[in-house]
Every structure is written in C-alpha cells, then in structure tokens.
Amino acid sequence: MTDRGASTGRETDGQEPVVLVVDDDASVREAIRDLLQSVDLRVELFRSAADFLRADLPDTPRCILLDVRLPGQSGLELQAELVREDIRIPIIFLTGHGDVPMTVRALKAGAIDFLEKPFRDQDLLDAVSTAIDIDRKRRNEDAKRVDLRARYEALTGREQQVMKGATDGLLNKQIAHQLGISEITVKIHRGNVMRKMGAKSLPDLVRMVAALGLDSARSTR
C-alpha cells in the first residue's frame, strides 16, 4: 500500500475492487486504509485532488472516499470535474464541516453518500460496499452495451433495415414492400439478424434496440 500523493500509480486490468481515498489529513487516510484493509479491500491514498487527477486510476470496480475540504481544489470541485470529464466513479463524501446545503449539492451532483467525521466504522464499510456494487453493475452494463453495439455494427445495412422494420412491428411482407425486396429475402435477413444479435425472440430483439437507443433511429448503412 502506497500513498499516491508520493508516488505514481499502476494500471490494473483485474476485477479486484479498490477504494480511492482523497484526504489531506494523513491520520485520517491511514485510519481509513487500516479499516478497509482489515476487510481485505485494496486501498490507494491521495493527499489532494491534484494528486488524484495525475494518477493512473485502476481499471477495476472502485469508489472514492473524498474529503470535502481539500487544499487547492475542493472535494466538490473535484466531483464537478469528474462529472464534466464523464469519469463515473461512485463518490462518498467525508467531512468534519458538513452542512445541509453542501450535502444537497454533493448528492444532486451524483454522490451516493455523505458521512460526517467522526463516522462509525460500520457506516463507512456499508457505504463502500454499496458504492463498489454500484460501480461493478455499471461496468457490467457498459460492457454489455459495447458488445451489443459491436454486434449491431456487424450487421449489413440491409440487415439493419430489416431489424428496424421487425422491431417497429412490421410483418415480413410489409418490410418487403417497404424495402422493395421479396418476402423470402426478408425472412433470410431476419434470421441472420436474430443469429448475429444473439436474440432468442422478437421481444428480446426489441429490448436490444432500446438498449442501443435505436428506437427511432434509421439505418444509415
């Protein structure tokens, strides 16, 4: 375990979860590290927002324990920068100076929890467990969308057109008329679509279209 304010990080490709602690108080960082490591969680420490932003963040399920009041860029300002850069890591704010407006601002910006120091160990562990579960589920969903997009892009332009007609509720003969092809050709393309997309039924294919955001899109290929 190293203090990432003092050294550079390393890229991680595995699925071991990690908790990223950003706090300017060394005693707080170390206490949190000891608590989390006691339940076999990997921990990386940062003294400031600048140290955090310079680091190579691990590519694994993760969350941030973030102090609101940091030297230089504040915790809330770091949160805003991560949102602007579309870096989606669940954030748990820690503060000894909490107030209602600050809490509301942090939560509205997407923080999943806000703990005031001194916090109970179990409250912190519960919040971290929830945050890591959220990030793991998000990463799994992102991976599924990437795979689904790749399968869709592997379809020919005609197959995409047939897929759109089918998921719009058109019969094969209606799709054939619309595209100026034979009904048997539509059936062949439709079978190819189901196979390539890995869809087991038309409702399954409709759900895929919704996940891809293609509900009202037209094929461009």
Side-chain angles (χ1 to χ4, degrees), residues 1-2 19 21 26-45 65 119 121 124-125:
M1 213 343 274
T2 57
V19 182
V21 181
S27 64
V28 171
R29 292 196 303 272
E30 291 164 5
I32 292 174
R33 176 198 61 197
D34 292 346
L35 172 63
L36 296 175
Q37 287 186 337
S38 75
V39 293
D40 298 323
L41 279 170
R42 180 180 162 202
V43 185
E44 296 191 8
L45 305 181
L65 292 175
F119 42 78
D121 288 355
L124 181 65
L125 293 174

Side-chain angles (χ1 to χ4, degrees), residues 16-20 41-44 58 60-64 132:
E16 178 189 7
V18 60
V19 182
L20 311 169
L41 279 170
R42 180 180 162 202
V43 185
E44 296 191 8
T60 190
R62 56 199 175 174
C63 71
I64 305 173
I132 288 175

Side-chain angles (χ1 to χ4, degrees), residues 150-161 163 189 192-197 205 221:
R151 280 184 272 161
Y152 176 74
E153 294 296 336
L155 299 177
T156 66
R158 183 66 83 193
E159 286 167 350
Q160 290 182 4
Q161 291 173 328
M163 176 175 167
H189 285 313
N192 289 339
V193 167
M194 299 295 285
R195 176 177 52 81
K196 291 182 180 181
M197 293 300 294
L205 194 63
R221 289 173 56 179

